[in-house]
Amino acid sequence: MSFIVAIDGPAGAGKGTITKLVGQKLGLVNIDTGATFRCVALNMIQEHIDITEEEKIREMLNKMNIEMHPDGKIFLNGEEVTKRIRENDVNKFVSPISVLSIVRNKLLEVQRKIAEGKNVIMEGRDIGTVVFPNADVKIYLDATPEERARRRVIQNQEKGIECSYEEVLAGIKDRDKRDSTRKIAPLKKAEDAIYVDSTNLSVEQVVEKIIEIIKEVTKKKS
Ligand code: DC
């Protein structure tokens, strides 16, 4: 039997950083489901497949193999793509392809399989609502769009990527709208998820708060 912590929330809320740290502290396997959507987007770019070509997408998905290694490295069809899936062309393509039911159905299978038999902390948009509606602990991690844009600009500066705050903020608002208004598995808080607003909290404070919630919820359930 596995123990599952689901962390959902919008782009830039800090899910990646927080999930990794909480996972390390509690000995949970960290699974980034956004990376699986990014692998599909990259595979489509590599094979020059357009979003309207359903039959080609189906064939590609049937052959596709995604591996997530414990050290955080991600492999697509045997090739390491850990950094490649964070590049701009993938950033732009991933949200549009994540609305396709054929893609979501396939990845639902992939994500459940990756978690099988393990104790995991899984981050995404629909983990507590669709992928694992019976997760042991559900958290919805949020922050204002302005704060998320501010953090993303700092991250980009650290990586040497030039961008304006206005441009990043507009991108975040656009992605929020797409992710939360799509018909299948939209981004929304599960009714039984605990809401954490990280706008005015440091990374350490959020990690502490989430560990506290996980401990409290599991104590109540046992
Ligand atoms: O978390 P991220 O930025 O790497 O996610 C990339 C895209 O994948 C995001 O635009 C929404 C989509 N996604 C999704 O639809 N469902 C998930 N569980 C995770 C990501």
Coordinates of all heavy atoms in Angstrom, one line a residue, residues 20-92:
K20 N 10.0 19.1 -3.4 CA 11.3 18.4 -3.3 C 11.8 18.4 -1.8 O 12.2 17.4 -1.3 CB 12.3 19.2 -4.2 CG 13.4 18.3 -4.7 CD 14.5 19.1 -5.4 CE 14.1 19.3 -6.9 NZ 15.0 20.3 -7.5
L21 N 11.7 19.6 -1.2 CA 12.2 19.7 0.2 C 11.4 18.9 1.2 O 12.0 18.2 2.0 CB 12.2 21.2 0.6 CG 13.3 22.0 -0.1 CD1 13.0 23.5 0.2 CD2 14.7 21.6 0.3
V22 N 10.1 18.9 1.1 CA 9.2 18.1 2.0 C 9.5 16.6 1.7 O 9.6 15.9 2.7 CB 7.7 18.5 1.8 CG1 6.8 17.6 2.6 CG2 7.4 19.9 2.1
G23 N 9.6 16.2 0.5 CA 9.9 14.8 0.1 C 11.2 14.4 0.8 O 11.2 13.3 1.4
Q24 N 12.2 15.2 0.7 CA 13.5 14.8 1.3 C 13.4 14.7 2.8 O 13.9 13.7 3.4 CB 14.6 15.9 1.0 CG 15.2 15.8 -0.4 CD 16.0 17.1 -0.8 OE1 16.1 18.0 0.0 NE2 16.5 17.1 -2.0
K25 N 12.7 15.6 3.4 CA 12.6 15.6 4.9 C 11.8 14.4 5.4 O 12.1 13.9 6.5 CB 12.0 16.9 5.4 CG 13.0 18.1 5.2 CD 12.7 19.2 6.2 CE 13.8 20.2 5.9 NZ 13.9 21.2 6.9
L26 N 10.7 14.0 4.6 CA 9.9 13.0 5.1 C 10.1 11.6 4.5 O 9.4 10.6 4.7 CB 8.4 13.4 4.9 CG 7.9 14.6 5.7 CD1 6.4 14.8 5.4 CD2 8.2 14.5 7.2
G27 N 11.1 11.6 3.6 CA 11.4 10.3 2.9 C 10.3 9.9 1.9 O 10.0 8.7 1.8
L28 N 9.8 10.8 1.2 CA 8.7 10.5 0.2 C 9.3 10.7 -1.2 O 10.1 11.6 -1.4 CB 7.5 11.4 0.3 CG 6.8 11.4 1.7 CD1 5.8 12.6 1.8 CD2 6.1 10.1 1.9
V29 N 8.9 9.8 -2.1 CA 9.4 10.0 -3.5 C 8.7 11.1 -4.2 O 7.5 11.2 -4.1 CB 9.1 8.7 -4.3 CG1 9.6 8.8 -5.8 CG2 9.8 7.5 -3.7
N30 N 9.5 12.0 -4.8 CA 8.9 13.3 -5.3 C 8.6 13.1 -6.8 O 9.4 12.7 -7.6 CB 10.0 14.3 -5.1 CG 9.7 15.6 -5.8 OD1 8.6 15.9 -6.2 ND2 10.7 16.4 -6.0
I31 N 7.3 13.3 -7.2 CA 6.9 13.1 -8.6 C 6.3 14.4 -9.1 O 5.3 14.9 -8.6 CB 5.9 12.0 -8.7 CG1 6.5 10.7 -8.2 CG2 5.4 11.8 -10.2 CD1 5.5 9.5 -8.1
D32 N 6.9 14.9 -10.1 CA 6.5 16.2 -10.8 C 5.7 15.8 -12.0 O 6.2 15.5 -13.0 CB 7.8 17.0 -11.1 CG 7.5 18.1 -12.1 OD1 6.4 18.5 -12.3 OD2 8.5 18.7 -12.6
T33 N 4.3 15.9 -11.9 CA 3.5 15.5 -13.0 C 3.6 16.4 -14.2 O 3.4 16.1 -15.4 CB 2.1 15.2 -12.6 OG1 1.5 16.5 -12.2 CG2 1.9 14.2 -11.6
G34 N 3.9 17.7 -13.9 CA 4.1 18.7 -15.0 C 5.1 18.2 -16.0 O 5.0 18.4 -17.2
A35 N 6.2 17.5 -15.5 CA 7.3 17.0 -16.3 C 6.7 16.0 -17.3 O 7.3 15.9 -18.4 CB 8.4 16.4 -15.5
T36 N 5.7 15.2 -16.9 CA 5.2 14.2 -17.9 C 4.5 14.9 -19.1 O 4.6 14.5 -20.2 CB 4.2 13.2 -17.2 OG1 3.1 13.9 -16.7 CG2 4.9 12.5 -16.1
F37 N 3.7 16.0 -18.8 CA 3.1 16.8 -19.8 C 4.2 17.5 -20.7 O 4.1 17.5 -21.9 CB 2.2 17.9 -19.3 CG 0.9 17.3 -18.7 CD1 0.8 16.9 -17.4 CD2 -0.2 17.2 -19.5 CE1 -0.4 16.3 -16.9 CE2 -1.4 16.6 -19.1 CZ -1.5 16.2 -17.7
R38 N 5.3 17.9 -20.1 CA 6.4 18.5 -20.8 C 7.0 17.5 -21.7 O 7.4 17.8 -22.9 CB 7.4 19.1 -19.8 CG 6.9 20.4 -19.1 CD 7.8 20.9 -18.0 NE 7.2 22.1 -17.5 CZ 7.5 23.3 -17.9 NH1 8.2 23.5 -19.0 NH2 6.9 24.3 -17.4
C39 N 7.2 16.2 -21.3 CA 7.7 15.2 -22.1 C 6.9 15.0 -23.4 O 7.4 14.8 -24.5 CB 7.9 13.9 -21.4 SG 9.3 13.9 -20.3
V40 N 5.5 15.0 -23.2 CA 4.6 14.8 -24.4 C 4.8 16.0 -25.3 O 5.0 15.8 -26.5 CB 3.2 14.7 -23.9 CG1 2.2 14.7 -25.1 CG2 2.9 13.4 -23.1
A41 N 4.9 17.2 -24.8 CA 5.0 18.4 -25.6 C 6.4 18.3 -26.4 O 6.4 18.5 -27.6 CB 5.0 19.6 -24.8
L42 N 7.4 17.9 -25.7 CA 8.7 17.8 -26.4 C 8.7 16.7 -27.5 O 9.2 16.9 -28.6 CB 9.8 17.4 -25.4 CG 11.2 17.2 -25.9 CD1 11.7 18.4 -26.7 CD2 12.2 16.8 -24.8
N43 N 8.1 15.5 -27.2 CA 8.0 14.4 -28.1 C 7.2 14.9 -29.4 O 7.6 14.6 -30.5 CB 7.3 13.3 -27.5 CG 7.7 11.9 -28.0 OD1 8.4 11.8 -29.0 ND2 7.3 10.9 -27.4
M44 N 6.2 15.7 -29.2 CA 5.4 16.2 -30.4 C 6.3 17.2 -31.2 O 6.3 17.2 -32.4 CB 4.1 16.9 -29.9 CG 3.1 15.9 -29.5 SD 1.6 16.6 -28.8 CE 0.9 17.4 -30.2
I45 N 7.1 18.0 -30.5 CA 8.0 19.0 -31.2 C 9.0 18.2 -32.0 O 9.2 18.4 -33.2 CB 8.7 19.9 -30.2 CG1 7.7 20.8 -29.5 CG2 9.8 20.7 -30.8 CD1 8.2 21.7 -28.3
Q46 N 9.6 17.1 -31.3 CA 10.6 16.4 -32.0 C 10.1 15.7 -33.3 O 10.8 15.5 -34.3 CB 11.2 15.3 -31.1 CG 12.0 15.8 -30.0 CD 12.3 14.7 -28.9 OE1 11.6 13.8 -28.7 NE2 13.4 14.9 -28.2
E47 N 8.8 15.2 -33.2 CA 8.2 14.4 -34.3 C 7.4 15.3 -35.2 O 6.7 14.8 -36.1 CB 7.4 13.2 -33.7 CG 8.3 12.3 -33.0 CD 7.7 10.9 -32.8 OE1 6.7 10.6 -33.4 OE2 8.3 10.1 -32.0
H48 N 7.5 16.6 -35.0 CA 6.7 17.6 -35.8 C 5.3 17.3 -35.9 O 4.7 17.3 -37.0 CB 7.3 17.7 -37.3 CG 8.8 17.9 -37.3 ND1 9.3 19.2 -37.0 CD2 9.9 17.1 -37.5 CE1 10.7 19.1 -37.0 NE2 11.0 17.8 -37.3
I49 N 4.7 17.0 -34.8 CA 3.2 16.6 -34.8 C 2.4 17.8 -34.3 O 2.8 18.5 -33.3 CB 3.0 15.4 -33.8 CG1 3.7 14.2 -34.3 CG2 1.4 15.1 -33.8 CD1 3.6 13.0 -33.5
D50 N 1.4 18.2 -35.0 CA 0.6 19.3 -34.7 C -0.5 18.9 -33.7 O -0.9 17.7 -33.7 CB -0.1 19.8 -36.0 CG -0.8 21.1 -35.8 OD1 -0.2 22.1 -35.6 OD2 -2.1 21.0 -35.8
I51 N -1.0 19.9 -33.0 CA -2.0 19.6 -32.0 C -3.4 19.0 -32.5 O -4.1 18.3 -31.8 CB -2.3 20.9 -31.2 CG1 -3.0 20.7 -29.9 CG2 -3.0 21.9 -32.0 CD1 -2.7 21.8 -28.9
T52 N -3.6 19.2 -33.8 CA -4.8 18.7 -34.4 C -4.7 17.3 -35.0 O -5.7 16.6 -35.4 CB -5.2 19.6 -35.6 OG1 -4.1 19.6 -36.5 CG2 -5.6 21.0 -35.2
E53 N -3.5 16.7 -35.0 CA -3.2 15.4 -35.6 C -3.4 14.2 -34.6 O -2.5 13.6 -34.2 CB -1.8 15.4 -36.2 CG -1.7 16.4 -37.3 CD -0.3 16.4 -37.9 OE1 0.7 16.7 -37.2 OE2 -0.2 16.1 -39.1
E54 N -4.7 14.0 -34.3 CA -5.0 13.0 -33.2 C -4.4 11.6 -33.5 O -3.9 11.0 -32.5 CB -6.5 12.9 -33.1 CG -6.8 12.3 -31.7 CD -8.3 12.4 -31.4 OE1 -8.9 13.4 -31.7 OE2 -8.8 11.4 -30.7
E55 N -4.5 11.1 -34.7 CA -4.0 9.8 -35.0 C -2.5 9.7 -34.7 O -2.0 8.7 -34.1 CB -4.4 9.4 -36.4 CG -4.6 7.9 -36.6 CD -5.2 7.1 -35.4 OE1 -6.3 7.4 -34.9 OE2 -4.5 6.2 -35.0
K56 N -1.8 10.7 -35.2 CA -0.3 10.7 -35.0 C 0.0 10.8 -33.5 O 1.0 10.2 -33.0 CB 0.3 11.9 -35.7 CG 0.4 11.7 -37.2 CD 1.3 12.7 -37.8 CE 1.3 12.5 -39.3 NZ 2.0 13.6 -40.0
I57 N -0.8 11.6 -32.8 CA -0.5 11.8 -31.3 C -0.7 10.4 -30.6 O 0.0 10.0 -29.8 CB -1.5 12.8 -30.7 CG1 -1.2 14.2 -31.3 CG2 -1.3 12.9 -29.2 CD1 -2.2 15.3 -30.9
R58 N -1.8 9.7 -31.0 CA -2.1 8.4 -30.4 C -0.9 7.4 -30.7 O -0.5 6.8 -29.7 CB -3.4 7.8 -31.1 CG -4.0 6.6 -30.4 CD -5.1 6.0 -31.1 NE -6.1 7.0 -31.5 CZ -7.1 7.5 -30.7 NH1 -7.2 7.0 -29.4 NH2 -7.9 8.4 -31.1
E59 N -0.5 7.4 -31.9 CA 0.7 6.5 -32.2 C 1.9 6.8 -31.4 O 2.6 6.0 -30.9 CB 1.1 6.6 -33.7 CG 0.3 5.7 -34.6 CD 0.6 6.1 -36.1 OE1 1.8 6.5 -36.4 OE2 -0.3 6.0 -36.9
M60 N 2.2 8.1 -31.3 CA 3.3 8.6 -30.5 C 3.2 8.2 -29.1 O 4.1 7.7 -28.4 CB 3.4 10.1 -30.7 CG 4.7 10.7 -30.0 SD 4.4 12.5 -29.7 CE 3.6 12.4 -28.1
L61 N 2.0 8.4 -28.5 CA 1.8 8.1 -27.1 C 1.9 6.6 -26.8 O 2.4 6.2 -25.8 CB 0.4 8.6 -26.6 CG 0.2 10.1 -26.6 CD1 -1.3 10.4 -26.3 CD2 1.1 10.7 -25.5
N62 N 1.5 5.8 -27.8 CA 1.6 4.3 -27.6 C 3.1 3.9 -27.5 O 3.4 2.9 -26.9 CB 0.9 3.6 -28.7 CG -0.6 3.6 -28.5 OD1 -1.1 3.8 -27.4 ND2 -1.4 3.5 -29.6
K63 N 4.0 4.6 -28.2 CA 5.4 4.2 -28.2 C 6.2 4.9 -27.1 O 7.3 4.5 -26.8 CB 6.0 4.7 -29.5 CG 5.5 4.0 -30.8 CD 6.4 4.5 -32.0 CE 6.3 6.0 -32.2 NZ 6.8 6.6 -33.4
M64 N 5.6 6.0 -26.5 CA 6.3 6.9 -25.6 C 6.7 6.2 -24.3 O 5.9 5.5 -23.7 CB 5.5 8.1 -25.3 CG 6.2 9.2 -24.5 SD 5.0 10.5 -24.1 CE 4.0 9.6 -23.0
N65 N 7.9 6.4 -23.8 CA 8.4 5.9 -22.5 C 9.0 7.0 -21.7 O 9.9 7.6 -22.1 CB 9.4 4.7 -22.8 CG 9.8 4.2 -21.5 OD1 9.1 4.0 -20.5 ND2 11.1 3.9 -21.4
I66 N 8.4 7.3 -20.5 CA 8.9 8.3 -19.6 C 9.4 7.6 -18.4 O 8.8 6.8 -17.8 CB 7.8 9.3 -19.2 CG1 7.2 10.0 -20.4 CG2 8.3 10.3 -18.2 CD1 6.0 10.9 -20.1
E67 N 10.7 8.0 -18.0 CA 11.3 7.4 -16.8 C 11.6 8.6 -15.9 O 12.2 9.6 -16.3 CB 12.5 6.6 -17.1 CG 12.3 5.3 -17.7 CD 13.6 4.8 -18.2 OE1 14.6 4.6 -17.4 OE2 13.7 4.5 -19.4
M68 N 11.3 8.5 -14.6 CA 11.7 9.5 -13.6 C 12.6 8.8 -12.6 O 12.1 7.9 -11.9 CB 10.4 10.0 -12.9 CG 9.6 10.8 -13.8 SD 8.2 11.6 -13.0 CE 8.0 13.0 -14.0
H69 N 13.8 9.2 -12.6 CA 14.8 8.5 -11.7 C 14.8 9.2 -10.3 O 14.5 10.3 -10.2 CB 16.2 8.5 -12.4 CG 16.3 7.6 -13.6 ND1 17.5 7.2 -14.1 CD2 15.3 7.1 -14.3 CE1 17.2 6.4 -15.2 NE2 15.9 6.3 -15.3
P70 N 15.2 8.4 -9.3 CA 15.2 8.9 -7.9 C 16.1 10.2 -7.8 O 15.9 11.0 -6.9 CB 15.7 7.8 -7.1 CG 15.6 6.6 -7.9 CD 15.6 7.0 -9.3
D71 N 17.1 10.3 -8.6 CA 18.0 11.5 -8.5 C 17.4 12.7 -9.2 O 18.0 13.8 -9.3 CB 19.4 11.2 -9.1 CG 19.3 10.8 -10.6 OD1 18.2 10.8 -11.2 OD2 20.4 10.5 -11.2
G72 N 16.2 12.6 -9.8 CA 15.5 13.8 -10.4 C 15.6 13.9 -11.9 O 15.0 14.7 -12.5
K73 N 16.5 13.0 -12.4 CA 16.7 13.0 -13.9 C 15.5 12.4 -14.6 O 14.9 11.4 -14.1 CB 17.9 12.2 -14.3 CG 19.2 13.0 -14.0 CD 20.4 12.3 -14.5 CE 21.6 13.1 -14.1 NZ 22.8 12.2 -14.0
I74 N 15.1 13.0 -15.8 CA 14.0 12.6 -16.5 C 14.4 12.1 -17.9 O 15.2 12.8 -18.6 CB 12.9 13.7 -16.6 CG1 12.4 14.0 -15.2 CG2 11.7 13.3 -17.5 CD1 11.8 15.3 -15.1
F75 N 13.9 10.9 -18.3 CA 14.3 10.3 -19.6 C 13.0 10.1 -20.4 O 12.0 9.7 -20.0 CB 15.0 9.0 -19.4 CG 16.4 9.1 -18.8 CD1 16.5 9.3 -17.4 CD2 17.5 9.0 -19.6 CE1 17.8 9.4 -16.8 CE2 18.8 9.1 -19.0 CZ 18.9 9.3 -17.7
L76 N 13.2 10.6 -21.7 CA 12.1 10.4 -22.7 C 12.6 9.5 -23.7 O 13.6 9.8 -24.4 CB 11.6 11.7 -23.3 CG 10.7 11.7 -24.5 CD1 9.4 11.1 -24.1 CD2 10.5 13.1 -25.0
N77 N 12.0 8.3 -23.9 CA 12.4 7.3 -24.9 C 13.9 7.1 -24.8 O 14.6 7.1 -25.8 CB 12.0 7.8 -26.3 CG 10.5 7.9 -26.4 OD1 9.8 7.1 -25.8 ND2 10.0 8.8 -27.2
G78 N 14.4 7.0 -23.6 CA 15.9 6.6 -23.4 C 16.8 7.8 -23.4 O 18.0 7.7 -23.1
E79 N 16.3 9.0 -23.7 CA 17.2 10.2 -23.8 C 17.0 11.1 -22.6 O 15.8 11.4 -22.2 CB 16.9 10.9 -25.1 CG 17.8 12.2 -25.3 CD 17.1 13.1 -26.4 OE1 16.1 12.6 -27.1 OE2 17.6 14.2 -26.6
E80 N 18.1 11.6 -22.0 CA 17.9 12.5 -20.8 C 17.4 13.8 -21.3 O 18.0 14.5 -22.1 CB 19.2 12.7 -20.0 CG 18.8 13.1 -18.6 CD 19.8 14.0 -17.9 OE1 21.0 13.8 -18.0 OE2 19.3 14.9 -17.2
V81 N 16.2 14.3 -20.7 CA 15.6 15.5 -21.2 C 15.3 16.5 -20.0 O 14.5 17.4 -20.1 CB 14.3 15.2 -21.9 CG1 14.5 14.5 -23.2 CG2 13.3 14.5 -21.1
T82 N 16.0 16.2 -18.9 CA 15.7 17.0 -17.6 C 15.7 18.5 -17.9 O 14.8 19.2 -17.4 CB 16.8 16.6 -16.5 OG1 17.0 15.2 -16.6 CG2 16.3 17.0 -15.2
K83 N 16.7 19.0 -18.6 CA 16.8 20.5 -18.8 C 16.0 20.8 -20.1 O 15.4 21.9 -20.1 CB 18.3 20.9 -19.0 CG 19.0 20.9 -17.7 CD 20.3 21.7 -17.8 CE 21.0 21.7 -16.5 NZ 22.4 21.4 -16.7
R84 N 16.0 20.0 -21.1 CA 15.4 20.3 -22.3 C 13.9 20.6 -22.2 O 13.4 21.5 -22.8 CB 15.6 19.1 -23.3 CG 15.0 19.2 -24.7 CD 15.6 20.3 -25.5 NE 14.9 20.5 -26.8 CZ 13.9 21.4 -26.9 NH1 13.5 22.1 -25.9 NH2 13.4 21.5 -28.1
I85 N 13.2 19.9 -21.3 CA 11.8 20.1 -21.1 C 11.4 21.4 -20.4 O 10.3 21.8 -20.2 CB 11.1 18.9 -20.4 CG1 11.7 18.7 -19.0 CG2 11.1 17.7 -21.3 CD1 10.9 17.7 -18.1
R86 N 12.5 22.2 -20.0 CA 12.2 23.5 -19.3 C 12.5 24.6 -20.3 O 12.4 25.8 -20.0 CB 13.1 23.7 -18.1 CG 13.1 22.6 -17.1 CD 11.9 22.7 -16.2 NE 11.6 21.4 -15.6 CZ 10.5 21.0 -15.1 NH1 9.5 21.8 -15.0 NH2 10.3 19.8 -14.6
E87 N 12.8 24.3 -21.6 CA 13.1 25.4 -22.5 C 11.8 26.0 -23.1 O 10.7 25.5 -22.9 CB 14.0 24.8 -23.7 CG 15.4 24.6 -23.1 CD 16.4 24.0 -24.2 OE1 16.1 24.1 -25.4 OE2 17.4 23.5 -23.7
N88 N 12.0 27.2 -23.7 CA 10.9 28.1 -24.1 C 9.9 27.4 -25.0 O 8.7 27.6 -24.9 CB 11.5 29.3 -24.7 CG 10.9 30.5 -24.0 OD1 9.9 30.4 -23.3 ND2 11.5 31.7 -24.1
D89 N 10.4 26.7 -26.0 CA 9.4 26.1 -27.0 C 8.5 25.1 -26.3 O 7.3 25.1 -26.5 CB 10.2 25.4 -28.2 CG 11.2 24.4 -27.7 OD1 11.6 24.4 -26.5 OD2 11.7 23.6 -28.6
V90 N 9.0 24.4 -25.3 CA 8.2 23.4 -24.5 C 7.3 24.2 -23.6 O 6.1 23.9 -23.5 CB 9.1 22.4 -23.7 CG1 8.2 21.5 -22.9 CG2 10.0 21.6 -24.6
N91 N 7.8 25.3 -22.9 CA 6.9 26.1 -22.1 C 5.7 26.6 -22.8 O 4.6 26.6 -22.3 CB 7.7 27.4 -21.7 CG 8.7 27.2 -20.6 OD1 8.7 26.1 -20.0 ND2 9.6 28.1 -20.4
K92 N 5.9 27.0 -24.1 CA 4.8 27.6 -24.9 C 3.8 26.5 -25.3 O 2.6 26.7 -25.4 CB 5.3 28.3 -26.1 CG 6.0 29.6 -25.8 CD 5.9 30.5 -27.0 CE 6.6 31.9 -26.6 NZ 7.7 32.2 -27.5

